[in-house]
Amino acid sequence: MIRSLAGRIIVVCLAVAGISALVAGFVLFRLVSRTSLDVTQRVLADQADVLAAQLFETDGGLAGRRRVVDILERQGVSVVTIGPRGNVVGDANAVAATKQAEAVGGGRISKPVEVGGRTYLVEARDAPRGGFALVLRPSGDQSTIRRLIGNILLALGIGLLVAAVAGVVLGRLLARPLRRTAQVAHTMREGRRDLRVPVEGPREVADVAGSVNSLADALQRSETRQRDFLLSVSHELRTPLTAVRGFAESLADGVVSGPQAAEVGRTIGKEAQRVERLVGDLLDLARLSADDFRLDITSVDLSGVLRETADVWSVRCAAEGVEFRLENADHPVGAHTDPRRLRQALDGLMENALRVTPAGRSIVLAHLPGRVLQVRDGGPGLSEEDYRIAFDRGALHRRYRGVRPVGTGLGLAIVHGLVTRMGGRIEAGPAPEGGACFTIMLPG
């Protein structure tokens, strides 16, 4: 079985060329045979017309034209005499063909007939004393047929040769860029991301090369983000773990004792909570990427979810000296979503807003017309570029670490994953309060 593309192209080209040559040869053979039969019939008709004209000029019969009859018979033409009373004289096969052609009754007859499985050409004419018929059994010219068959075989051979050459050339033209593409794909599988495929050849082959290049670019960007993310996570883990280990060693060595031990214990607890929060966010991201992430989709009253969220975050905002407002939450609007996951997304946005909003400024939880929810804050806000990358894992964390309060760097990515999983959309932009605005659009 031929597995290579080039081999299959060559076989197809050979098959097409061979079939085309055979079909053309068959048609040509039939055409030549038919044309030869028509020409022979016309020649025989001309001979019959000449003989009839001579008989009418002399007002005689075939007996006086013996020489003409001999010449015709030497050419393979049988002469059949038809008497006035319908009696027929001549070669048995010729007589049978004459009767088959219905030439006994007189008149001009010109037709081929079948007698005993053989074809005879019959040309019958009237004469002064009855009539006559010229009968010829066309015998194929074997030399002509052999030449015709030879020419057909020659054409077949030339066609197969040209098809083989065309198949080899076409196969190489197609296989070379595909082979290069396959080699680049193999190197990508081994971990390299710096190779690209030349985009050339037929459009379909060029599309394959372009797709592989796009895949390589996407993999490179994704792996770069993952590497940066892991570096960021490792840094975030290292800081609290270092603190926990240092304070734990101080307690174990007895360096810290008495009233100081309680303060050290509280510090260790805070750092442990920080690690726990980071690990929890990582687990949430992993679950969002899994196919079996569970959603309990049901009909939800958005006003009820907003009021529940407001009850919790109004207290937390008051404790931080931040003003909290709930807008347009009195109009009951239903949505088809998971209330627990929606509350998780809103809590993530509210926690992010409270972290960056200074005391004396405001945070707004709003319900816009339809199934649109917003969380707006009065914090420092973001740049236009920041809004475009706000939901990338760790993007804002890397940019603002050490500049403003930051979390684990995963909160907005988790919110984006939750909203997307529920079939909604989330966008980031500037808020009228001076900070950032996050808008959730839910399906019906």
Side-chain angles (χ1 to χ4, degrees):
M1 181 179 178
I2 300 176
R3 296 183 178 273
S4 67
L5 176 62
R8 293 183 179 183
I9 290 175
I10 293 173
V11 171
V12 171
C13 289
L14 289 174
V16 171
I19 294 173
S20 300
L22 291 176
V23 171
F26 174 75
V27 173
L28 180 61
F29 184 81
R30 291 293 301 271
L31 179 62
V32 170
S33 299
R34 184 62 188 174
T35 302
S36 176
L37 189 64
D38 292 342
V39 170
T40 304
Q41 184 85 51
R42 287 198 296 271
V43 171
L44 187 63
D46 292 340
Q47 291 174 335
D49 291 337
V50 171
L51 181 56
Q54 291 177 353
L55 292 178
F56 275 106
E57 287 178 359
T58 59
D59 194 24
L62 288 175
R65 294 290 175 176
R66 191 62 205 173
R67 183 181 176 185
V68 176
V69 173
D70 292 339
I71 294 173
L72 291 173
E73 288 180 347
R74 283 197 297 270
Q75 295 175 355
V77 179
S78 299
V79 181
V80 177
T81 303
I82 303 173
R85 298 182 179 180
N87 54 317
V88 183
V89 179
D91 178 78
N93 290 331
V95 170
T98 301
K99 292 180 179 180
Q100 180 71 20
E102 300 178 352
V104 179
R108 180 186 177 94
I109 301 297
S110 178
K111 65 167 66 173
V113 296
E114 294 286 336
V115 177
R118 297 176 179 177
T119 301
Y120 291 88
L121 304 180
V122 178
E123 291 291 339
R125 303 290 188 273
D126 290 330
R129 299 178 184 180
F132 68 92
L134 302 184
V135 181
L136 174 64
R137 180 191 170 197
S139 57
D141 189 347
Q142 297 300 321
S143 61
T144 302
I145 294 176
R146 284 195 296 270
R147 286 197 300 272
L148 179 60
I149 294 176
N151 290 334
I152 293 174
L153 293 177
L154 177 62
L156 176 61
I158 295 174
L160 292 178
L161 178 61
V162 172
V165 173
V168 170
V169 174
L170 181 60
R172 288 182 177 178
L173 288 176
L174 292 178
R176 187 183 298 115
L178 289 177
R179 194 175 294 114
R180 283 198 296 264
T181 303
Q183 290 173 351
V184 171
H186 289 317
T187 58
M188 288 171 56
R189 183 182 61 185
E190 295 171 359
R192 291 191 61 179
R193 299 290 183 264
D194 57 332
L195 296 180
R196 296 297 181 269
V197 185
V199 181
E200 59 185 15
R203 184 178 62 184
E204 292 78 5
V205 177
D207 288 344
V208 173
S211 299
V212 172
N213 290 340
S214 299
L215 176 61
D217 293 338
L219 287 174
Q220 190 173 30
R221 289 192 298 269
S222 175
E223 290 178 356
T224 300
R225 287 197 299 267
Q226 289 179 1
R227 184 168 54 253
D228 294 342
F229 171 70
L230 290 175
L231 290 174
S232 176
V233 169
S234 63
H235 175 79
E236 291 298 315
L237 285 173
R238 186 180 295 112
T239 300
L241 288 177
T242 301
V244 168
R245 186 178 66 179
F247 283 114
E249 289 175 353
S250 298
L251 289 173
D253 295 340
V255 176
V256 177
S257 61
Q260 295 179 338
E263 182 64 26
V264 169
R266 284 191 293 271
T267 302
I268 292 176
K270 290 180 180 178
E271 295 301 317
Q273 289 177 354
R274 183 177 172 186
V275 173
E276 182 181 10
R277 186 168 62 252
L278 180 59
V279 172
D281 287 348
L282 289 172
L283 290 175
D284 286 339
L285 278 179
R287 294 189 188 100
L288 283 171
S289 301
D291 293 335
D292 57 351
F293 181 76
R294 180 177 176 181
L295 285 174
D296 297 319
I297 303 296
T298 184
S299 296
V300 178
D301 180 12
L302 295 181
S303 60
V305 175
L306 288 176
R307 282 192 293 270
E308 291 176 1
T309 306
D311 291 342
V312 174
W313 286 98
S314 60
V315 175
R316 292 189 58 178
C317 288
E320 299 291 336
V322 174
E323 178 188 356
F324 175 83
R325 295 202 311 272
L326 178 64
E327 295 182 353
N328 302 323
D330 297 331
H331 304 292
V333 176
H336 203 60
T337 186
D338 185 333
R340 181 170 63 91
R341 298 298 185 184
L342 177 59
R343 174 63 189 276
Q344 184 180 354
L346 291 174
D347 287 343
L349 293 177
M350 289 297 301
E351 183 176 359
N352 181 75
L354 183 59
R355 183 185 305 113
V356 298
T357 302
R361 305 297 292 272
S362 62
I363 293 178
V364 179
L365 176 61
H367 182 195
L368 274 62
R371 300 173 183 85
V372 180
L373 309 179
Q374 276 188 347
V375 174
R376 308 194 301 267
D377 64 69
L382 302 171
S383 66
E384 286 297 327
E385 183 181 357
D386 291 338
Y387 288 125
R388 288 194 292 269
I389 62 171
F391 302 108
D392 293 345
R393 288 181 295 182
L396 298 181
H397 182 272
R398 290 190 298 271
R399 179 164 299 184
Y400 291 104
R401 184 175 54 199
V403 178
R404 65 176 68 167
V406 294
T408 63
L410 306 178
L412 291 179
I414 293 174
V415 172
H416 179 271
L418 289 169
V419 174
T420 303
R421 278 285 189 157
M422 290 186 292
R425 293 188 298 115
I426 183 170
E427 297 176 352
E433 289 75 15
C437 171
F438 294 91
T439 304
I440 297 176
M441 290 154 280
L442 297 172

